[in-house]
Amino acid sequence: MSEMAAGQWRIVLDEAHKALRTTVEGIPSDAWDLPTPCEQWTVTQVLQHATGDQTAFAAAIVGGAGPQEDPFAPSGRIEGDKLIGLRAALDASAQAWNRVADDDPEVPTPLPQGKLPAEVAAVACALDAAVHAWDIAAATGQPSPLHDELARPLLEVARQIVEPLRNYGAYAPALAAGAEADDVSALLAYLGRDPQWPGVRL
């Protein structure tokens, strides 16, 4: 990643993890079944998907069990405390990335691309956390967890990895962002999301 100093991916990943954790903790009690920018998925389903993805990244790096259910077919049902699973997944992901060297050229990932350089793999993991934090924030009327400084490296990596993932249904087709779009809007549009989706608070 040409615009990133060595090891800066750790800051991006930590901020994305915090964004997802904070946004999920802010979900109102009556909002779990609300629709989201992820077409046909509720808030609960986006949470399940995001939890599964973080678990999958951790398992790819250190081994161990992957997601308990298919992240791309979330049930929409979580028994008991809805936050326990996410907190465990984020902790496992952070611990796994702590074992990765800043400049490791081949980090295992759950992505179809397989092994990727550390700075690309980690920011791909961050991308997943951050964009789903935005999905949940948009659906539940919370402030956007994205800002231009975070969106910039996420967009750089998104442009490297996302196209093949669209074939798996991981991302919708890109939308036109417009020449005047800021980095956040450009990122969301590239990932197939309308930056002005109803409920978004800037």
Side-chain angles (χ1 to χ4, degrees):
M1 289 174 56
S2 59
E3 296 184 4
M4 242 188 194
Q8 190 180 349
W9 58 261
R10 297 185 188 277
I11 298 172
V12 175
L13 182 62
D14 182 61
E15 185 167 355
H17 278 174
K18 286 179 180 177
L20 181 57
R21 188 189 301 264
T22 300
T23 301
V24 170
E25 289 174 348
I27 297 173
S29 60
D30 60 350
W32 293 98
D33 294 324
L34 292 178
T36 71
C38 292
E39 188 175 357
Q40 299 182 350
W41 280 6
T42 65
V43 170
T44 299
Q45 288 172 302
V46 172
L47 170 59
Q48 289 175 300
H49 171 81
T51 299
D53 283 350
Q54 292 302 313
T55 301
F57 269 99
I61 295 170
V62 301
Q68 294 185 355
E69 63 177 52
D70 182 354
F72 292 95
S75 66
R77 298 183 303 277
I78 301 176
E79 300 299 330
D81 188 339
K82 292 180 171 61
L83 303 182
I84 290 177
L86 177 70
R87 288 168 175 156
L90 289 175
D91 288 346
S93 179
Q95 290 169 14
W97 286 109
N98 283 340
R99 297 174 59 173
V100 174
D102 289 353
D103 58 352
D104 190 329
E106 291 191 325
V107 178
T109 79
L111 303 177
Q113 292 93 333
K115 293 181 179 179
L116 293 167
E119 67 270 19
V120 176
V123 179
C125 182
L127 174 69
D128 191 275
V131 72
H132 292 312
W134 182 87
D135 290 329
I136 292 171
T140 58
Q142 298 184 61
S144 172
L146 297 177
H147 53 80
D148 284 346
E149 287 187 8
L150 176 59
R152 203 168 296 124
L154 298 180
L155 180 57
E156 185 178 348
V157 164
R159 287 173 172 153
Q160 298 178 52
I161 67 166
V162 162
E163 291 311 320
L165 301 181
R166 297 192 205 276
N167 297 328
Y168 293 84
Y171 294 101
L175 304 177
E180 302 301 318
D182 59 20
D183 292 314
V184 170
S185 296
L187 172 66
L188 294 170
Y190 184 70
L191 300 178
R193 287 159 168 80
D194 178 1
Q196 301 302 319
W197 195 83
V200 170
R201 288 174 56 189
L202 302 178

